[in-house]
Amino acid sequence: MVTDSFTGQRHVMCRACHAHCGLIVDFEDGIPVATHGNKDNPEFEGYSCIKGRRLADYHSLDSRLLTSYKGMADGNRQAIHWRDAAGEIAERLQKIIDEHGPDAVASYVGTFGYNNVNAHAFQLALMEAIGSTSVYDSVTIDQPGKGIARALVGPWLAGAPRVGDWDGLMLIGTNPVVSMNGGLGMNPAKKLHDAKKRGMQLIVVDPRVTDSAQQADIHLQCRPGEDPVILGAIAKIVIEENLYDQEFVTKDVDGLATLKKSVAPFEPALAAERADVAAEDIVRAARMYGSWKKASISGGTGTNMSGGGNITEYLNLALTSIMGHWLREGDLNRRTGVFTKPAPAVAASPGPIPAWGFGRKLHSRDLEQSISGMPTSALPDEILTPGDKQVRALVVLGGNPMLAWPDQLKTFEAMKALDLLVCIDPRMSKTAELADYVIAPKLHYEVYGNTAAPEIYGGFGAGWGFENNYAQASPPIMNSPEGSDLCEEFEFIHAVATDLDKTLNIKSWALLAHPDEREEKATAIPPGETPDVLDAWTASLNGCPANIKEVYADEEAHKGKIVDAQALLVQPKPDDWEGKLSVGNAAMMEELSSYAQRLGQPVEATEFPMRMIGRRMTEMHNSNWHEDPVQRKRVPHHPAFMHPDDLEALELEDGQSIEVESARAFISCVARSDKTVRPGCVSIPHSWGTNPDEKEDALGAGGNTGRLTDSSGIYDKRTGIPLMSSIPIRVRAKHAALEAAE
Ligand SMILES: Nc1nc2c(c(=O)[nH]1)N[C@H]1C(S)=C(S)[C@@H](COP(=O)(O)OP(=O)(O)OC[C@H]3O[C@@H](n4cnc5c(=O)[nH]c(N)nc54)[C@H](O)[C@@H]3O)O[C@H]1N2
Ligand SMILES: Nc1nc2c(c(=O)[nH]1)N[C@H]1C(S)=C(S)[C@@H](COP(=O)(O)OP(=O)(O)OC[C@H]3O[C@@H](n4cnc5c(=O)[nH]c(N)nc54)[C@H](O)[C@@H]3O)O[C@H]1N2
Ligand code: SF4
Ligand SMILES: [Mo]
């Protein structure tokens, strides 16, 4: 902790997004006055963004909660100490469990539960202790196709080649240069710049000329929602022209003949017509892709939210597999793990595993748990639909359902219908405003942090996580504001467990690749005294190569460092090994055939002729801290980016307040002229806006794109993810709409 008189620098790890950049905070007389990147940091090399540079100030923004709150029957809120709140909440949970069973209590873990591995482990342990299977998180409203595809193709144990070794990259519906989404490693702008300089080729599939697309060798500026059609045609060419690695396929891949048959209908000319790109560009892209030796394909939210996430991600991994773009026998895997224990480095796949069909079914809709989790888009239905399994209580850890879940109108009804809503959140979020209890946690620089979360994300695919055996462990550098009464998330969760008289069985996030060991090495934390914070971290990362207490005592680790470890030499596949990667899964081939049926068909004309497409901006992270004055100055209004030709055709002007209407609802934003957007598309950042009972202000909080979504309209039958991008819409001037309403 810095003292009141401290003037100088402190190394920190930014936690304003999942990237966890290594930064430096300058203090004057104990007050943080500036934050900047650290050019000596081996993984981030000086990178910082506006959010990270503002993070120290978040700690003292007016909007920050300094105590927990309890909602009163008269609609007012009253301050309450978090420990007392835990007692009251435990009592109310017990009553709900006694009357309706444990599944009536649901948990939702959002972004800041995910990024805090310790809090997440405690929350999951609490759910297990009370016996509830109503465990939800943000994965199924993000990129759920990734988990589905990985299961159905099967994992490759040795892992994927590093960004620095790629000769090619294809990005589909992701803009890592801004989002820091995996796919290009950490400090993606520099990684891309360096890679391009040494000759790496880049193909981008995106309706917008994104920051990543600006550097592309081929940019397919497609109609949204048609990615599987484009990939189908690329796969057809790669297979029919024998551009794939035949030796690797013979040894390690099953199902190529099935895949070949399924992609046969995807004639480049037909695919091009449907996706509205040039056929010759698809052919060029396929041949370029087919020439790469070490490469990666990365999908993102754009493709996962536009209706074809499973099959797009499946084709990504199928192409990767037939090309043999995996680490091979004799290669080195430099990620030996610090906070996680990786899978053994063997050049083999254990084969596919079930992606659905094993878990909890919903009572309200024909949906079930999949490998990507419980379908969060249907949790409002689970709350609103009467029945034995009706959800009556919800504990939200670091998430904001009101601005993040699809179908905001339904989410609002669901939040109001709950008997008990608890939010653990440092701000009065739009969900917290509706909560019975808001528990105010300590904030990032007041607590111990480490890079376990991004290291775990390394398991999502090539270009995710760190390139090296990098780790940072940041002890607290700031005291909580004077007069505050705050807790760490795990302390609150443990207090609730104590008052329910439950032992928490903490399962280690370090052992995800070792399920049996994970069960064996679970740490029992009994009711009673709160565990020491580093003991709690040791439990939630039990079995990892690092010793947590030693890491925090290491000053080099405070700055972020490459941990010395012998790289893993990828071992040959044992002779008696049976598993293979699989590229011909029947359910995925069925999804593909539904896209084949689109070929030659015109795109349906409706009264909603344009498409809303999602995007992220550097200045804002989901619904977080939009009130920050510096970030807000840069993005004062909620922008709806449109091509200047569309503005002109609609007789709209840059900067004008508009309404964007889907079949479900309309929202207010500010039109912005932007040549990079594909004509016919409106590119709008998500998680802005107000609750439905508040007046919408285009010039204020803006509109919530989730409100345009219909969660029981078009949705994926495996994960429940509805259309959250590529939504048919129409646009009009705000004043015209108001006149019509009068
Ligand atoms: N229409 C549309 N909807 C989307 C998306 C989209 O692209 N379009 N994207 C989807 C995606 S990818 C995701 S991941 C989800 C995100 O869904 P959520 O995670 O539910 O949403 P966030 O807005 O990230 O909410 C994070 C909350 O955590 C709080 N918070 C910040 N710091 C801390 C902390 O240290 N501790 C705790 N306990 N809380 C903290 C913030 O105040 C905020 O209320 O949204 C999804 N929703
Ligand atoms: N600054 C910032 N960084 C963030 C976040 C943030 O809110 N702000 N959110 C974080 C979260 S929760 C996540 S999950 C990641 C997401 O990271 P990304 O998936 O990289 O998210 P975006 O930057 O929105 O990129 C999505 C791209 O998909 C395109 N797109 C839309 N529809 C389609 C389609 O149908 N087909 C194709 N091919 N493209 C389409 C959009 O034009 C956009 O360029 O970012 C994380 N990082
Ligand atoms: S990219 Fe994310 S982790 Fe890095 S400085 Fe920005 S907000 Fe922080
Ligand atoms: Mo996300």
Side-chain angles (χ1 to χ4, degrees), residues 296-607:
S296 168
I297 311 185
S298 198
T301 52
T303 193
N304 275 274
M305 293 179 179
S306 296
N310 298 342
I311 184 59
T312 308
E313 295 284 7
Y314 187 81
L315 288 174
N316 290 350
L317 284 183
L319 279 164
T320 302
S321 298
I322 64 173
M323 295 297 294
H325 289 160
W326 295 112
L327 282 184
R328 313 283 274 272
E329 178 184 339
D331 286 343
L332 286 178
N333 186 339
R334 289 184 178 76
R335 298 201 293 198
T336 53
V338 181
F339 295 118
T340 64
K341 183 176 165 183
V346 183
S349 169
I353 55 169
W356 54 75
F358 47 77
R360 176 65 207 281
K361 298 205 180 337
L362 299 195
H363 82 279
S364 61
R365 290 174 56 185
D366 188 18
L367 281 167
E368 61 179 20
Q369 185 181 7
S370 74
I371 193 105
S372 293
M374 293 284 277
T376 293
S377 69
L379 180 46
D381 300 294
E382 291 291 277
I383 295 167
L384 291 167
T385 310
D388 281 359
K389 293 278 181 189
Q390 186 172 9
V391 168
R392 293 161 196 273
L394 176 64
V395 182
V396 177
L397 171 65
N400 190 3
M402 280 314 305
L403 297 187
W405 289 3
D407 209 332
Q408 196 203 32
L409 299 177
K410 198 196 271 180
T411 301
F412 186 56
E413 293 311 314
M415 293 300 128
K416 287 191 300 183
L418 285 165
D419 292 348
L420 177 66
L421 173 60
V422 178
C423 281
I424 312 178
D425 203 303
R427 302 154 59 237
M428 197 55 77
S429 72
K430 285 291 155 196
T431 311
E433 281 180 8
L434 306 174
D436 300 289
Y437 294 89
V438 186
I439 305 303
K442 290 184 185 171
L443 216 47
H444 312 295
Y445 294 162
E446 298 158 5
V447 299
Y448 287 87
N450 56 58
T451 44
E455 195 178 316
I456 292 165
Y457 304 149
F460 286 10
W464 284 78
F466 302 114
E467 280 281 85
N468 296 296
N469 223 27
Y470 172 83
Q472 186 169 13
S474 295
I477 56 162
M478 283 160 63
N479 287 309
S480 296
E482 219 164 294
S484 62
D485 96 60
L486 306 166
C487 57
E488 278 207 48
E489 287 88 342
F490 84 93
E491 295 178 294
F492 165 74
I493 296 164
H494 180 261
V496 173
T498 295
D499 290 350
L500 286 168
D501 199 24
K502 296 286 184 200
T503 290
L504 294 175
N505 206 29
I506 306 297
K507 294 201 181 134
S508 169
W509 280 104
L511 298 174
L512 283 183
H514 308 268
D516 295 341
E517 198 181 341
R518 192 169 189 230
E519 292 296 326
E520 276 161 35
K521 291 211 168 131
T523 310
I525 301 193
E529 211 178 310
T530 311
D532 166 75
V533 55
L534 292 187
D535 287 336
W537 272 107
T538 301
S540 49
L541 293 173
N542 197 19
C544 74
N547 176 308
I548 299 298
K549 288 183 185 167
E550 282 172 16
V551 173
Y552 280 108
D554 172 6
E555 290 210 3
E556 290 307 305
H558 298 175
K559 299 177 184 169
K561 70 173 195 178
I562 311 267
V563 176
D564 231 3
Q566 185 111 45
L568 303 171
L569 181 69
V570 177
Q571 299 298 313
K573 179 164 80 168
D575 288 340
D576 56 350
W577 191 276
E578 285 183 357
K580 280 186 177 188
L581 298 160
S582 163
V583 299
N585 177 270
M588 290 299 105
M589 296 306 108
E590 210 180 297
E591 287 198 14
L592 195 52
S593 89
S594 77
Y595 279 90
Q597 281 160 23
R598 295 182 176 201
L599 298 167
Q601 303 294 322
V603 173
E604 199 191 340
T606 72
E607 55 189 313

Side-chain angles (χ1 to χ4, degrees), residues 100 142 166 235 250 320 329 339 342 483 503 533 596 630 633 685 690:
H100 305 287
D142 186 333
W166 297 343
T250 309
T320 302
E329 178 184 339
F339 295 118
T503 290
V533 55
V630 177
K633 206 169 163 193
T690 49

